[in-house]
């Protein structure tokens, strides 16, 4: 079932979105050479606690994870595309990292991901991040009342594929509200003009991921959570929680 949200409910989700954005800012600030992924998770825990919010990911156990999620953020480094665990790995100069965070306030969830580099960046990583952000922006722009779900994936693949990057459609976006993962599924790639009619009150997480190698293959790492590009090429994931309103798309996961 797809639940449309009222303006009041969207306002509640906006509060959760502010917490997610605060986590992104604090983690970005702390991330540096020699800092562990676990330390970044601890920074995120503190921000969520101080905001008196809840951590959507902690203990979450979807079918695609081997065990309940042990952290409050996903920390996906270099060839890890999605759901990287906050391990004792120490960040190295030039690492490319995506930070995915979910938080809830008064029972309403928001989910968002940012990507950035640590230390001296590689030019090709900066380009990958820029294209991923453009891909997400194109998806958000297509999230219009009266449009179709396929318009979002169509707009995103035009940017990501157009730049020569690989994409996958098994892990895409999702409805979000009282639960972090709700219907409908939001494909990263789709045919325009097809699929569910987009309506005011629909709130979705849009989350494209790109693989620098250009292939679509990926694999699950031995840790049972990390989803890696098939060729171990560098990959990037970005995400916003977006409300579809009469005034167009409204991004909830911003400060
Ligand atoms: N944004 C990610 C997704 O929707 C969050 C995964 S949460 C986790 O797939 F706990 F499963 F990692
Ligand atoms: Co998500």
């Amino acid at each position: 079932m797809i639940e449309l949200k009222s303006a009041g409910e969207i306002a509640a989700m906006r509060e959760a979105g502010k917490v997610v954005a605060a986590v992104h800012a604090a983690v970005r600030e702390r991330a540096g050479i020699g800092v562990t992924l676990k330390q970044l998770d601890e920074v995120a825990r503190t921000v969520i606690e101080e905001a008196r919010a809840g951590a959507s990911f902690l203990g979450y156990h979807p079918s695609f994870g081997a065990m309940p999620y042990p952290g409050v953020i996903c920390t996906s480094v270099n060839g890890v595309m999605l759901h990287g665990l906050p391990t004792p790995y120490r960040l190295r100069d030039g690492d490319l990292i995506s930070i995915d965070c979910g938080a809830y306030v008064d029972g309403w969830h928001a989910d968002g991901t940012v990507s950035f580099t640590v230390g001296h960046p590689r030019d090709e990583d900066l380009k990958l991040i820029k294209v991923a952000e453009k891909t997400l922006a194109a998806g958000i722009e297509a999230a219009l009342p009266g449009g179709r779900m396929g318009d979002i994936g169509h707009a995103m693949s035009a940017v990501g594929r157009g730049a020569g990057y690989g994409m996958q459609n098994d892990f895409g976006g999702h409805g979000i509200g009282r639960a972090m993962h709700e219907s409908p599924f939001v494909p990263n790639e789709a045919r325009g003009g097809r699929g569910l009619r987009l309506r005011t009150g629909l709130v979705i997480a849009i989350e494209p991921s790109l693989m620098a190698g250009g292939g679509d293959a990926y694999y699950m790492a031995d840790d049972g959570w990390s989803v890696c590009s098939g060729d171990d090429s560098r990959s990037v994931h970005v995400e916003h929680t977006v409300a579809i309103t009469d005034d167009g798309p409204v991004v909830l996961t911003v400060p």
Side-chain angles (χ1 to χ4, degrees), residues 162-244:
Y165 296 126
M167 296 179 76
Q168 55 73 39
N169 234 355
D170 292 337
F171 298 92
H174 47 93
I176 181 167
R178 284 203 179 273
M180 178 173 63
H181 285 151
E182 296 184 350
S183 285
F185 177 68
V186 181
N188 294 330
E189 294 193 90
R191 286 177 67 178
R194 301 290 180 97
L196 180 81
R197 175 77 64 193
L198 303 177
R199 294 176 59 185
T200 285
L202 184 63
V203 182
I204 51 178
I206 304 177
E207 50 182 312
S209 44
L210 301 179
M211 295 177 270
D216 309 349
Y218 64 85
Y219 68 93
M220 174 68 76
D222 290 340
D223 66 16
W225 268 100
S226 302
V227 179
C228 308
S229 60
D231 55 4
D232 291 316
S233 65
R234 291 163 91 99
S235 52
V236 150
H237 174 218
V238 287
E239 174 180 23
H240 272 307
T241 294
V242 178
I244 297 174

Side-chain angles (χ1 to χ4, degrees), residues 57 60 62 64 69 74 83 100 111 174 180-181 207 225 239:
F57 294 5
Y60 185 62
F64 55 79
Y69 198 74
C74 301
H83 308 156
D100 189 345
D111 186 10
H174 47 93
M180 178 173 63
H181 285 151
E207 50 182 312
W225 268 100
E239 174 180 23

Side-chain angles (χ1 to χ4, degrees), residues 85-106:
L85 295 170
T87 64
Y89 173 82
R90 281 185 195 284
L91 287 168
R92 300 165 68 158
D93 193 21
D95 276 350
L96 171 63
I97 185 166
S98 302
I99 302 293
D100 189 345
C101 179
Y104 57 92
V105 174
D106 293 335

Side-chain angles (χ1 to χ4, degrees), residues 22-44:
V23 167
H24 290 156
V27 169
R28 193 191 278 260
E29 171 82 23
R30 181 74 178 89
I33 298 163
V35 175
T36 69
L37 302 179
K38 199 166 181 338
Q39 285 173 312
L40 297 182
D41 191 69
E42 282 155 13
V43 166

